[in-house]
Short mmCIF file of all heavy atoms in Angstrom, two decimals:
data_model
loop_
_atom_site.label_atom_id
_atom_site.label_comp_id
_atom_site.label_asym_id
_atom_site.label_seq_id
_atom_site.Cartn_x
_atom_site.Cartn_y
_atom_site.Cartn_z
N MET A 1 0.33 7.44 -18.57
CA MET A 1 1.31 7.92 -17.56
C MET A 1 1.58 6.85 -16.55
O MET A 1 0.87 6.22 -16.09
CB MET A 1 0.64 9.04 -16.93
CG MET A 1 1.44 9.75 -15.88
SD MET A 1 0.84 11.06 -14.90
CE MET A 1 0.20 12.12 -16.18
N THR A 2 2.90 6.62 -16.45
CA THR A 2 3.44 5.58 -15.55
C THR A 2 3.36 6.00 -14.12
O THR A 2 3.30 7.23 -13.75
CB THR A 2 4.86 5.15 -15.97
OG1 THR A 2 5.84 6.18 -15.82
CG2 THR A 2 4.97 4.71 -17.44
N VAL A 3 3.66 5.28 -13.27
CA VAL A 3 3.67 5.35 -11.87
C VAL A 3 4.89 6.37 -11.44
O VAL A 3 4.75 7.27 -10.75
CB VAL A 3 3.88 4.15 -10.90
CG1 VAL A 3 3.96 4.36 -9.54
CG2 VAL A 3 2.59 3.25 -11.14
N ASP A 4 5.99 5.99 -12.18
CA ASP A 4 7.18 6.95 -11.93
C ASP A 4 6.97 8.33 -12.34
O ASP A 4 7.32 9.24 -11.51
CB ASP A 4 8.46 6.38 -12.61
CG ASP A 4 8.85 4.96 -12.03
OD1 ASP A 4 8.62 4.85 -10.76
OD2 ASP A 4 9.56 4.20 -12.80
N GLU A 5 6.31 8.54 -13.42
CA GLU A 5 5.94 9.93 -13.90
C GLU A 5 5.03 10.64 -12.95
O GLU A 5 5.25 11.75 -12.75
CB GLU A 5 5.31 9.81 -15.30
CG GLU A 5 6.33 9.45 -16.37
CD GLU A 5 5.53 9.28 -17.80
OE1 GLU A 5 4.31 9.23 -17.77
OE2 GLU A 5 6.38 9.01 -18.75
N ARG A 6 3.98 9.95 -12.42
CA ARG A 6 3.14 10.52 -11.47
C ARG A 6 3.78 10.93 -10.31
O ARG A 6 3.49 11.93 -9.65
CB ARG A 6 1.86 9.62 -11.21
CG ARG A 6 0.95 9.57 -12.31
CD ARG A 6 -0.24 8.80 -11.95
NE ARG A 6 0.11 7.44 -11.37
CZ ARG A 6 -0.61 6.26 -11.50
NH1 ARG A 6 -1.92 6.41 -12.06
NH2 ARG A 6 -0.28 5.19 -10.90
N LEU A 7 4.68 9.99 -9.67
CA LEU A 7 5.28 10.33 -8.51
C LEU A 7 6.29 11.44 -8.72
O LEU A 7 6.40 12.27 -7.77
CB LEU A 7 6.24 9.08 -8.14
CG LEU A 7 6.98 9.12 -6.83
CD1 LEU A 7 5.97 9.43 -5.77
CD2 LEU A 7 7.76 7.85 -6.60
N ARG A 8 6.92 11.55 -9.90
CA ARG A 8 7.85 12.70 -10.18
C ARG A 8 7.12 14.05 -10.03
O ARG A 8 7.51 15.05 -9.52
CB ARG A 8 8.48 12.47 -11.53
CG ARG A 8 9.85 13.26 -11.60
CD ARG A 8 10.54 12.99 -12.90
NE ARG A 8 10.97 11.57 -12.94
CZ ARG A 8 10.44 10.67 -13.90
NH1 ARG A 8 9.64 11.09 -14.80
NH2 ARG A 8 10.82 9.26 -13.86
N ARG A 9 5.88 14.02 -10.78
CA ARG A 9 5.02 15.30 -10.64
C ARG A 9 4.60 15.65 -9.24
O ARG A 9 4.60 16.72 -8.77
CB ARG A 9 3.89 15.08 -11.52
CG ARG A 9 4.10 15.12 -13.02
CD ARG A 9 2.89 15.05 -13.88
NE ARG A 9 3.22 15.03 -15.14
CZ ARG A 9 2.27 14.85 -16.12
NH1 ARG A 9 1.02 14.56 -15.87
NH2 ARG A 9 2.68 14.79 -17.39
N ARG A 10 4.20 14.53 -8.45
CA ARG A 10 3.85 14.89 -7.06
C ARG A 10 4.99 15.41 -6.28
O ARG A 10 4.76 16.19 -5.29
CB ARG A 10 3.22 13.53 -6.45
CG ARG A 10 1.85 13.25 -6.97
CD ARG A 10 1.40 12.04 -6.28
NE ARG A 10 -0.04 11.62 -6.76
CZ ARG A 10 -0.49 10.53 -6.78
NH1 ARG A 10 0.06 9.56 -6.02
NH2 ARG A 10 -1.67 10.41 -7.28
N ARG A 11 6.04 14.79 -6.42
CA ARG A 11 7.40 15.33 -5.79
C ARG A 11 7.62 16.79 -6.08
O ARG A 11 7.84 17.61 -5.13
CB ARG A 11 8.57 14.51 -6.03
CG ARG A 11 8.63 13.15 -5.28
CD ARG A 11 9.89 12.56 -5.59
NE ARG A 11 10.91 13.08 -4.63
CZ ARG A 11 12.07 12.62 -4.61
NH1 ARG A 11 12.54 11.73 -5.35
NH2 ARG A 11 12.86 13.07 -3.64
N GLU A 12 7.44 17.20 -7.26
CA GLU A 12 7.65 18.55 -7.68
C GLU A 12 6.71 19.50 -7.00
O GLU A 12 6.93 20.54 -6.44
CB GLU A 12 7.46 18.73 -9.24
CG GLU A 12 8.74 18.30 -9.98
CD GLU A 12 8.47 18.03 -11.52
OE1 GLU A 12 7.41 18.62 -11.90
OE2 GLU A 12 9.31 17.50 -12.13
N ARG A 13 5.39 19.10 -7.02
CA ARG A 13 4.41 19.85 -6.28
C ARG A 13 4.61 19.97 -4.75
O ARG A 13 4.40 20.98 -4.04
CB ARG A 13 2.93 19.35 -6.51
CG ARG A 13 2.35 19.57 -7.91
CD ARG A 13 0.95 19.36 -7.90
NE ARG A 13 0.55 18.05 -7.44
CZ ARG A 13 0.21 17.02 -8.13
NH1 ARG A 13 0.29 17.01 -9.41
NH2 ARG A 13 -0.15 15.85 -7.50
N HIS A 14 5.05 18.85 -4.28
CA HIS A 14 5.28 18.69 -2.76
C HIS A 14 6.50 19.58 -2.33
O HIS A 14 6.45 20.16 -1.25
CB HIS A 14 5.51 17.26 -2.36
CG HIS A 14 5.88 17.12 -0.89
ND1 HIS A 14 4.85 17.16 0.04
CD2 HIS A 14 7.01 16.83 -0.24
CE1 HIS A 14 5.38 16.92 1.23
NE2 HIS A 14 6.69 16.78 1.13
N ARG A 15 7.47 19.71 -3.17
CA ARG A 15 8.61 20.56 -2.83
C ARG A 15 8.24 22.15 -2.73
O ARG A 15 9.00 22.76 -2.14
CB ARG A 15 9.71 20.43 -3.93
CG ARG A 15 10.26 19.14 -4.00
CD ARG A 15 11.38 18.86 -3.07
NE ARG A 15 11.92 17.49 -3.25
CZ ARG A 15 12.62 16.93 -2.53
NH1 ARG A 15 12.85 17.51 -1.37
NH2 ARG A 15 13.02 15.68 -2.71
N GLN A 16 7.06 22.46 -3.26
CA GLN A 16 6.67 23.82 -3.12
C GLN A 16 5.87 24.16 -1.77
O GLN A 16 5.56 25.22 -1.62
CB GLN A 16 5.75 24.10 -4.26
CG GLN A 16 6.55 24.08 -5.68
CD GLN A 16 5.60 24.19 -6.89
OE1 GLN A 16 4.28 24.39 -6.75
NE2 GLN A 16 6.17 24.26 -7.96
N ARG A 17 5.55 23.17 -1.12
CA ARG A 17 4.88 23.31 0.09
C ARG A 17 5.66 23.85 1.17
O ARG A 17 6.95 23.87 1.11
CB ARG A 17 4.16 21.97 0.64
CG ARG A 17 3.16 21.54 -0.38
CD ARG A 17 2.55 20.29 0.05
NE ARG A 17 1.46 19.95 -0.79
CZ ARG A 17 1.07 18.66 -1.12
NH1 ARG A 17 1.65 17.65 -0.44
NH2 ARG A 17 0.06 18.45 -1.80
N SER A 58 8.31 8.91 -0.06
CA SER A 58 8.88 8.97 -1.36
C SER A 58 8.79 10.53 -1.95
O SER A 58 9.47 10.94 -2.85
CB SER A 58 8.31 8.14 -2.37
OG SER A 58 7.10 8.49 -2.53
N LEU A 59 7.93 11.26 -1.20
CA LEU A 59 7.86 12.64 -1.57
C LEU A 59 9.05 13.49 -1.21
O LEU A 59 9.33 14.56 -1.74
CB LEU A 59 6.56 13.34 -0.97
CG LEU A 59 5.32 12.74 -1.59
CD1 LEU A 59 4.10 13.35 -0.66
CD2 LEU A 59 5.00 13.08 -2.99
#
Side-chain angles (χ1 to χ4, degrees):
M1 179 181 309
T2 66
V3 174
D4 291 333
E5 291 171 353
R6 287 189 306 208
L7 182 59
R8 206 171 299 117
R9 287 184 182 175
R10 286 184 183 159
R11 282 187 85 175
E12 290 170 4
R13 284 194 314 256
H14 179 72
R15 298 275 181 198
Q16 297 171 356
R17 294 184 174 148
S58 68
L59 294 172

